[in-house]
Each structure stands twice: as structure tokens, then as C-alpha cells.
Amino acid sequence: MALDSKNIMQERRRFIRIICDLPALATYGENKVNVQIKDLSLMGVLAVSETPLDLSKGTHVRIDIHLGATLTISMDCAVSYVHENLIGLGTMRIDIDSITNLRRFIEMNGMSEELLHRDIGHLVGEDFPPQQDS
């Protein structure tokens, strides 16, 4: 199946990444920093900061991504890598409301429901949605 939406980038990874430009707040320790999310998936985000951040691999960071006046995706992440102003963050925990908001955002950006269910299945380690016994 070919994907031809400009907002979706399929890599050699198991998860589809949505290319975006969304404001977010990164919180780690006592620090709160505004960042821009450049790509987003169920497994993590790529963020850009205006200035380099003093983060190291494994640091826990809370990301609150603002989708609009009332919609937010909140994720507890761990730093995967830092390169100058780029921060790769892997999802450690995401609440059900944030998953729902992320699902809506992904669907609005052209991802098929089949691919979304595949990604959720990879995330939870099983088939999704669960198959009904007949």
C-alpha cells in the first residue's frame, strides 16, 4: 500500500511518523522549555528547541503538545538522543485521553485506520483491535 500524503513519512521503522510543526512544552526537573514538534508517532517525537538544551540520553521529559485551544497530547518520554537543538524522545507513558487526541490528529493527517490499528498493536504488543471469536 503506497502512502502519498505529504504529512506522512514511512521509514524503516514499525511506526508511521507524522511530519508536523506543533508548539509544545517540554518539562524536565525544574525546567520548562517551549519547543516545536517536528514529527510525531505513537512511539515518540522529534522536537526542536530555539537553544540547545542540557539533556542527556535517558533523561525523563514530559511533553505537552498543543493541538488547539483545548486539545493537548501529553506524553512522558525519555531522551533518545540530542544533537544541537534536535531532541529525539521515546514515549514511556501516554494516557488514554492523549492517545485519543493523537489518534484524531493522525487520522486528520491522512493515516488509514488500518495502519493506525497496526501501530497501536505494535505499541501494546498484540493485534488491535482484538479479533472477535466467531
Side-chain angles (χ1 to χ4, degrees), residues 103 106-107 111-120:
R103 177 182 176 156
I106 289 172
E107 287 174 341
M111 184 179 196
S112 74
E113 189 169 338
E114 178 183 319
L115 288 174
L116 180 62
H117 284 171
R118 184 203 66 192
D119 281 3
I120 292 172

Side-chain angles (χ1 to χ4, degrees), residues 28 33 48-55 82-87:
Y28 56 100
V33 179
V48 176
S49 170
E50 287 187 17
T51 59
L53 301 179
D54 185 22
L55 292 169
V82 177
H83 179 70
E84 297 177 0
N85 297 13
L86 287 176
I87 307 122

Side-chain angles (χ1 to χ4, degrees), residues 75-95:
M75 306 166 82
D76 292 322
C77 300
V79 174
S80 299
Y81 64 89
V82 177
H83 179 70
E84 297 177 0
N85 297 13
L86 287 176
I87 307 122
L89 299 157
T91 305
M92 294 174 24
R93 191 184 82 67
I94 183 170
D95 64 61

Side-chain angles (χ1 to χ4, degrees), residues 9-131:
M9 179 173 66
Q10 186 171 18
E11 300 179 10
R12 291 182 203 143
R13 303 173 185 181
R14 289 196 300 202
F15 292 87
I16 299 295
R17 303 184 75 81
I18 304 296
I19 304 302
C20 56
D21 191 22
L22 298 169
L25 181 66
T27 305
Y28 56 100
E30 299 296 317
N31 301 302
K32 293 182 185 255
V33 179
N34 290 315
V35 297
Q36 287 296 119
I37 303 301
K38 295 300 181 181
D39 78 40
L40 172 64
S41 80
L42 287 170
M43 284 307 292
V45 299
L46 177 64
V48 176
S49 170
E50 287 187 17
T51 59
L53 301 179
D54 185 22
L55 292 169
S56 57
K57 188 174 181 177
T59 301
H60 290 210
V61 177
R62 168 83 171 191
I63 293 289
D64 295 303
I65 304 166
H66 308 291
L67 298 177
T70 60
L71 288 178
T72 301
I73 297 170
S74 297
M75 306 166 82
D76 292 322
C77 300
V79 174
S80 299
Y81 64 89
V82 177
H83 179 70
E84 297 177 0
N85 297 13
L86 287 176
I87 307 122
L89 299 157
T91 305
M92 294 174 24
R93 191 184 82 67
I94 183 170
D95 64 61
I96 191 71
D97 291 333
S98 292
I99 287 176
T100 300
N101 292 339
L102 178 56
R103 177 182 176 156
R104 284 187 201 137
F105 179 75
I106 289 172
E107 287 174 341
M108 287 179 1
N109 281 279
M111 184 179 196
S112 74
E113 189 169 338
E114 178 183 319
L115 288 174
L116 180 62
H117 284 171
R118 184 203 66 192
D119 281 3
I120 292 172
H122 285 302
L123 184 65
V124 298
E126 56 190 55
D127 288 335
F128 186 88
Q131 301 299 315

